[in-house]
Every structure is written in structure tokens, then in C-alpha cells.
Amino acid sequence: MNKMFALTGVLNYLIVVFLNAFTDLGHKIIIQNTIFKVYDSSEQIILTAIINAMILLPFILVFSPSGFLADRFAKHTIMKHSAAFAVVITLFITFSYYQGWFLFAFLMTFLLALQSAIYSPAKYGYIKELVGEKFITQGNGAVQAVTIVAILGGIIFYSAFFESMVADNFHTNEDILKEIAPLGWFLVFGSIIEWFLASKLPNKMLKLSYKKFDFKKYIKGDYLLKNLKITKRKPEIFEAILALSILWSISQVILAIFGEYAKSQLGVTNALVVQGVMALAGFGIVLGSVVVSIYSKYFINLGYIVLGAFGITIVVFIVPYTASMAINAFLFLLFGVFTAFIIVPLNAQIQYLAPSVHLGTILAGNNFIQNIFMFTFLSITTIFAYFGMDSEVLFYIMGFVGIYLIYLVYKRYSYMAVWAIFTFLFCIRYKVEYKGLENIPKNQAVLLLGNHVSWLDWLILQMPIKKRINFMMDKDIYNYKILTPVLKKGNVIPISSKSFKDSMIEASNRLKNSEIVALYPEGEISIDNNLSKFKSGYEKLDGGDDCLIVPYFIDGMFGSLFAKNKNNQHDSMLKRRVISVEFEKPILNNIKADELQKIIQKLKDKKD
């Protein structure tokens, strides 16, 4: 992460992202708090839902133009011009505050959201250009964290000033706006600084585009259909967009109804308290983003998506049973953490899989579909509120939507979720340092051969490698009823003296398909931390001419809880055991067992 921050333009870009979110959120909070003060019950829910819908609608309307702009022009240029547009808008908004024009200020929310909709594909597409694929997850984590800090700070900042400036004897929403009018200058100054910093961002556009925009095609919907086809071209991208859309729809409804719920069910009338509780979801997203970034150090860790879906669903079902604002605050914090578990890896995955030439279009499509979902959910919420449906019932409905989200992500990412859980639990107790990961070819058959020192060597080897490793395992262990279904799903190859030939054929076929196969030449776990004589069974494998052997050595697990020889009495419960793994440069697959053992012995001697 520190290396990413050292890249030219990264810090500048993150400040621009912060200011953009802080300014957009500020006006929304002022209008939303005004609604909270003046209106009650279903009227409050309806107006809150409408204000949120007005923020979403521009993302739907400018789907095609925003994607075109992000693909046609340098993304930093679009951010610069959008920020300049925001300066003009915030000046009009500030003027409307001083005049007490509530309806005008209400409608200006749409215009402020419009510049964000044009800005958004360029902003997110710029991440990949700025930090590269190597730091794409960390870049998304940083952007999510900075955005949420801006939202969190904006909610507290504007709500605190709002409460302190609004007198108790107000009569109308116009009176409130006139009292808080000086807050508008914060919106203006934030936009000016954002525009100045956006002007300093480096140009990362590698190839010029000469696309032309046909307004007639836009009006007829031709661009819409074409861009949606591009967005749906890769099923994994489209499923990620769908999952994000459902998640944000749940979030929008929860945020729209919680104010009324707190006021009617819990008797809370202080806007700062209500906004502060909801703002903790933002703080949770920051925490969750940090966690996901740490565990995505080597590749995009998609396993956390399933954990996130389970988490937010449980939280949504619990909120209506909670009468304490303190407990609700904790639940919103958890909601944010679990939200980050979904949005960070999915956004990174979309950017990673999207071709550079269509990145802006796909990100705009992502915005379009998400906002269609959110707009629809808010419209339904408005209708339900109009007919007097209790906010508590809406929580339960969103809980069932969360169950569908679990189903959606579990289908694709369940296997990765198991690995995510294993990795998380392992890293609580152990810290693993890897050296030589670049020696493992990404698109080539690889045979991993090294020492065997604990029952968790398979997990240690797999953690930094995105590609699934095909481990060879003793058939007696493989046949344990409780383990067989899991091991089979994990592509483990059982081996025994009777089935040796068949196992070798199966492993050879997987190598010929450019997969990674791992086995332990020692044949058993070490009991004295010395290398046992290597068996020559692996020499029977035929992985083809392109197959390479990558020797490795694991150091630090001997004497641990998961080793045969346990000598962990000196381990501190407060300090993680440090494990190191070194991968040697690839060698030809015709090396003999005794020669291979000498190579790995040298790796061991370096550690001793």
C-alpha cells in the first residue's frame, strides 16, 4: 500500500475524490436534515426517498454520454471540467440558501448529481490507469475508504453546523435555509479546491480515441442498447454489477427509512444523532476496505463477497428488534464493514476484467444498472410509505432481498469464501512472508515441490497464488467422509500405492492443461525439521515440454501447533509466529530427486 502512495498523482487524486464526495454529500445532508426537521411520518420517508432518487436519476440519464466521454477523452480532463462545473452549481445553491428557496435548492440536487454522473466513470476508470493492475485492489480500497471518510466527515460536519445554526422557533423549510445559508460557502470553497487539484492530475491515457458521439442515436436509445451489450458481454462482470446493484439498493432503502424509524419508534429528534449513527456505516466501510486490501495483497480476494452478503442480511434483520441507538450505531458499523467486503473486490474485479478500450463504457453501465435498481427500490419505498406501510416492515423486506443477494454471490464465489475464511483464521495467529513469487509462471504448467513441515503447508502455499493449486494427497486422508466432498471440490488428487499410476495420469493431464500441481517429495511431515530423502515418484509425471518445476522451502512452522513435533511453549499468544516461504527460480521438469533435494537444502541452509 505504501508503494502505491509513492506513485505520482495518487495522493492528489485521493484528495480530489475526497472533496468531490464531501461537497456532493454536504448539500444532500442540508436538504435531508431540513426535511427531517419539518416533516413527519410517511411524508418524511417520501421526501427523503425523492431526494435520494434525484441523486440517482442523472446516472441513469447520462449512462451513454458519460461512458463515451470516459473512453474518448483523458479521464483527468473530465474530472477537471466536472469540478469546474461543480463550482458554478454550488454558487447557485448557496444563493438559493440565502433566498430561502427550498424548492430551487431541492431541484439543484439533481444538477449537482448530474456532474457527479458525468464524473464517475472517469474517476473510477482512472484508478487502473494511475496505479496499474498490481495495485488495483489496494487502489479501489483506498478510493472507497477516502470516499467514505468524506461522507462520514460530511455528515458530521454539516449536521453539527446545521443543528447549531437552526433555532428552535423555525416555522418553514425556507426559514431553515436562510439560517444555515453560510454553510453554502463551504460547498463553494470545496469545489474550487477540487477543481484546482484536478487540474494538476497527470495524463495517463496511453492511446488516443477517435470515437464520435451521435446525439440522434442517443435519443433513439441505440447507444443504450449497444453499451448494455458491451456491459453484459462478460457474465462475471455483469453478475458483479448485479450484486453491487442489489447491495446499494438495500443500502438506499435503509438510509431512507432509518430517520423516520428513529423518530417514530425510538423518539430521537436530533438530526446529528440520527445522521451520526448512519454515518458509522461509512466508518465501517473504511475498516472493511482496509481488511479486504490487506487480504488482497497478492490478488483480488473475491471470497469476502459471500461473507459480506451474509453479514449485511443478518444486520438488516436485527435492526428492527433494537430499541437502543447505541446498539444501532454498532449495527450500522458492521453493515459498513460487510458492505466493504462486497464493493471493494467487486469494483476491482470489474475494472480488472474490463478491456481498456471499453472501461469507461462498462463503468458507466455499472452506474446505470446500479442506479436503475436503486431508483426502482426508492420508488417502491415511496409508494409503500404513501399507503402507510410501517418502516419496520420495510426492514424485513430488505432482509429478504439480502437473502437473494446471498444466493446470487454464493453460486459464483462460495469456493473462494472457504479460502477466505481459512486465510483469515490462519493470519490471526501467523504472519507469512513470501519471497520469489515472481518465479511462479502465471500461464504455464507448474509443479511445486518442497519440504513438508506441517498440516497447513497447503494453505501457506495457496494464500499468495490466485490460480488454484491441485494438491496430491494420501488417499486414506482423502477418503474421510467429512473431508471428501470438500477435497473433491478443491481439486485434490488422491494418491496411494494401489492407485499410483492413475493418480500420476490425472496429475499429468492437469499439468498439460497449464495448471499448478503440488506434492511433497518427502512423502510425510518432517518430525525433526530436517529434509527426509526425496522420493522419485514425481519423476513419473508428464506435464509436457512447457512444464516447469518451482522448488520452495517453508520455514517457521516446525514446532507449531500444526506440526508433528510441537514445541510451541515459547510462542506468545499476543505475537504472531512469523513464517517465511521462498520460491526458487523455475527449473526443467526432468530433474532427479537427489538433485532437487540439494536445491531445496540450499534454501533451508539460507534460513538456518
Side-chain angles (χ1 to χ4, degrees):
M1 183 73 83
N2 291 333
K3 291 181 179 178
M4 183 193 75
F5 287 127
L7 296 174
T8 302
V10 169
L11 289 177
N12 201 7
Y13 166 70
L14 291 176
I15 296 173
V16 169
V17 170
F18 174 89
L19 290 171
N20 178 259
F22 191 82
T23 301
D24 287 357
L25 191 278
H27 175 61
K28 176 192 172 185
I29 288 298
I30 290 170
I31 296 298
Q32 202 162 279
N33 285 348
T34 303
I35 293 170
F36 180 80
K37 288 290 186 182
V38 177
Y39 302 96
D40 294 303
S41 193
S42 61
E43 200 172 18
Q44 181 186 336
I45 293 179
I46 292 169
L47 287 173
T48 303
I50 290 174
I51 196 72
N52 285 319
M54 287 176 65
I55 293 171
L56 303 176
L57 191 57
F59 288 87
I60 298 171
L61 297 177
V62 299
F63 160 42
S64 296
S66 63
F68 166 80
L69 291 171
D71 287 334
R72 171 66 177 83
F73 301 103
K75 295 174 179 60
H76 78 296
T77 302
I78 297 171
M79 288 188 279
K80 178 180 69 175
H81 291 308
S82 295
F85 186 36
V87 174
V88 177
I89 298 170
T90 52
L91 283 170
F92 276 109
I93 288 173
T94 303
F95 180 73
S96 69
Y97 290 169
Y98 277 99
Q99 298 302 311
W101 296 346
F102 177 76
L103 181 59
F104 183 82
F106 192 90
L107 295 175
M108 287 300 288
T109 306
F110 176 84
L111 207 56
L112 193 60
L114 181 63
Q115 71 87 24
S116 287
I118 295 171
Y119 180 100
S120 185
K123 176 178 71 175
Y124 285 104
Y126 194 64
I127 298 173
K128 186 177 180 180
E129 293 182 355
L130 188 62
V131 304
E133 292 183 2
K134 181 179 180 180
F135 296 113
I136 194 168
T137 303
Q138 289 85 347
N140 275 274
V143 168
Q144 294 295 342
V146 166
T147 301
I148 297 307
V149 167
I151 292 173
L152 178 65
I155 288 172
I156 295 173
F157 178 86
Y158 285 101
S159 291
F161 273 102
F162 183 93
E163 283 289 341
S164 64
M165 297 171 76
V166 174
D168 293 332
N169 60 347
F170 66 87
H171 298 288
T172 64
N173 42 36
E174 287 80 6
D175 293 336
I176 293 178
L177 284 187
K178 287 180 180 179
E179 289 188 31
I180 58 85
L183 283 178
W185 293 112
F186 287 106
L187 302 177
V188 175
F189 293 147
S191 297
I192 291 173
I193 298 171
E194 178 193 348
W195 168 72
F196 174 77
L197 293 176
S199 302
K200 304 297 181 183
L201 291 173
N203 182 5
K204 291 291 182 177
M205 192 174 194
L206 300 177
K207 187 178 180 181
L208 292 175
S209 172
Y210 297 98
K211 291 182 178 180
K212 292 184 179 180
F213 190 79
D214 190 329
F215 191 75
K216 289 183 179 179
K217 287 185 177 181
Y218 169 57
I219 295 298
K220 290 168 61 179
D222 292 346
Y223 280 132
L224 174 63
L225 295 175
K226 179 183 176 182
N227 292 339
L228 283 176
K229 284 182 181 178
I230 292 173
T231 303
K232 294 174 66 176
R233 192 170 290 168
K234 287 188 177 181
E236 193 167 354
I237 289 179
F238 185 70
E239 287 178 19
I241 292 173
L242 187 60
L244 286 169
S245 301
I246 294 171
L247 167 66
W248 286 124
S249 298
I250 294 172
S251 302
Q252 282 291 322
V253 174
I254 298 301
L255 293 176
I257 65 178
F258 183 73
E260 191 280 332
Y261 174 77
K263 195 173 182 179
S264 63
Q265 301 295 324
L266 306 181
V268 180
T269 58
N270 189 306
L272 178 59
V273 173
V274 174
Q275 294 290 355
V277 168
M278 291 191 288
L280 283 173
F283 188 64
I285 291 179
V286 175
L287 293 178
S289 297
V290 172
V291 171
V292 175
S293 295
I294 290 173
Y295 289 100
S296 296
K297 183 178 179 181
Y298 302 104
F299 56 88
I300 303 171
N301 197 326
L302 301 171
Y304 283 90
I305 298 167
V306 179
L307 306 182
F310 271 102
I312 65 164
T313 302
I314 293 169
V315 168
V316 170
F317 273 120
I318 292 176
V319 169
Y321 290 99
T322 306
S324 166
M325 284 298 281
I327 296 177
N328 273 318
F330 178 69
L331 290 174
F332 269 86
L333 179 70
L334 287 180
F335 187 90
V337 171
F338 292 127
T339 296
F341 282 8
I342 299 174
I343 62 176
V344 172
L346 281 184
N347 279 324
Q349 182 74 344
I350 291 169
Q351 293 164 29
Y352 176 76
L353 293 175
S356 296
V357 68
H358 294 310
L359 180 58
T361 297
I362 290 174
L363 292 178
N366 182 22
N367 284 337
F368 177 79
I369 295 171
Q370 285 183 34
N371 285 281
I372 284 286
F373 267 78
M374 289 188 282
F375 186 83
T376 302
F377 271 62
L378 286 172
S379 298
I380 294 172
T381 301
T382 302
I383 294 170
F384 283 176
Y386 180 78
F387 287 103
M389 180 173 284
D390 193 277
S391 56
E392 191 173 336
V393 176
L394 290 170
F395 273 108
Y396 296 134
I397 293 175
M398 289 304 102
F400 285 108
V401 176
I403 291 174
Y404 176 72
L405 176 62
I406 292 172
Y407 166 75
L408 186 68
V409 298
Y410 186 81
K411 286 193 305 178
R412 181 172 285 277
Y413 305 115
S414 58
Y415 178 65
M416 301 171 194
V418 174
W419 280 105
I421 294 171
F422 279 140
T423 301
F424 180 79
L425 294 175
F426 181 81
C427 290
I428 292 175
R429 187 67 189 85
Y430 301 96
K431 178 183 179 181
V432 190
E433 299 172 347
Y434 294 96
K435 183 179 180 181
L437 282 170
E438 69 279 0
N439 292 326
I440 303 176
K442 292 184 178 180
N443 301 307
Q444 197 171 342
V446 176
L447 183 58
L448 288 176
L449 301 173
N451 65 323
H452 194 14
V453 71
S454 77
W455 294 105
L456 294 183
D457 292 347
W458 56 275
L459 179 58
I460 295 171
L461 290 176
Q462 182 66 81
M463 281 197 302
I465 302 173
K466 182 178 181 180
K467 200 172 182 180
R468 296 298 96 184
I469 300 175
N470 298 263
F471 289 94
M472 301 192 75
M473 174 185 286
D474 186 281
K475 196 169 187 177
D476 291 337
I477 299 175
Y478 181 90
N479 285 335
Y480 285 161
K481 288 184 179 180
I482 194 171
L483 294 178
T484 301
V486 178
L487 297 176
K488 189 174 182 180
K489 193 172 181 65
N491 296 328
V492 171
I493 303 171
I495 186 170
S496 66
S497 55
K498 292 182 179 179
S499 65
F500 180 80
K501 185 177 179 181
D502 291 338
S503 299
M504 289 295 109
I505 292 173
E506 177 62 27
S508 297
N509 288 336
R510 296 191 190 185
L511 287 170
K512 288 175 181 176
N513 286 328
S514 299
E515 296 188 39
I516 302 176
V517 172
L519 57 84
Y520 307 108
E522 293 174 280
E524 60 183 357
I525 297 176
S526 173
I527 58 174
D528 57 7
N529 204 29
N530 292 317
L531 293 179
S532 303
K533 183 177 176 58
F534 278 21
K535 296 178 173 58
S536 60
Y538 76 87
E539 297 176 15
K540 304 292 191 295
L541 289 171
D542 178 16
D545 296 335
D546 293 333
C547 180
L548 294 171
I549 289 176
V550 176
Y552 67 85
F553 182 77
I554 301 173
D555 182 55
M557 280 299 288
F558 181 76
S560 70
L561 180 65
F562 298 98
K564 274 190 175 180
N565 188 337
K566 298 174 181 60
N567 185 27
N568 59 354
Q569 64 267 29
H570 299 298
D571 285 0
S572 170
M573 295 301 293
L574 300 177
K575 187 177 180 181
R576 292 188 296 170
R577 179 187 278 259
V578 178
I579 313 300
S580 66
V581 184
E582 183 169 354
F583 295 95
E584 186 56 273
K585 291 181 179 179
I587 54 179
L588 297 177
N589 63 358
N590 57 1
I591 189 171
K592 300 299 180 182
D594 56 343
E595 295 174 5
L596 176 66
Q597 183 165 355
K598 289 177 182 178
I599 293 173
I600 296 175
Q601 183 65 47
K602 286 182 180 179
L603 292 176
K604 180 181 186 302
D605 293 341
K606 285 166 60 178
K607 303 291 183 181
D608 295 339

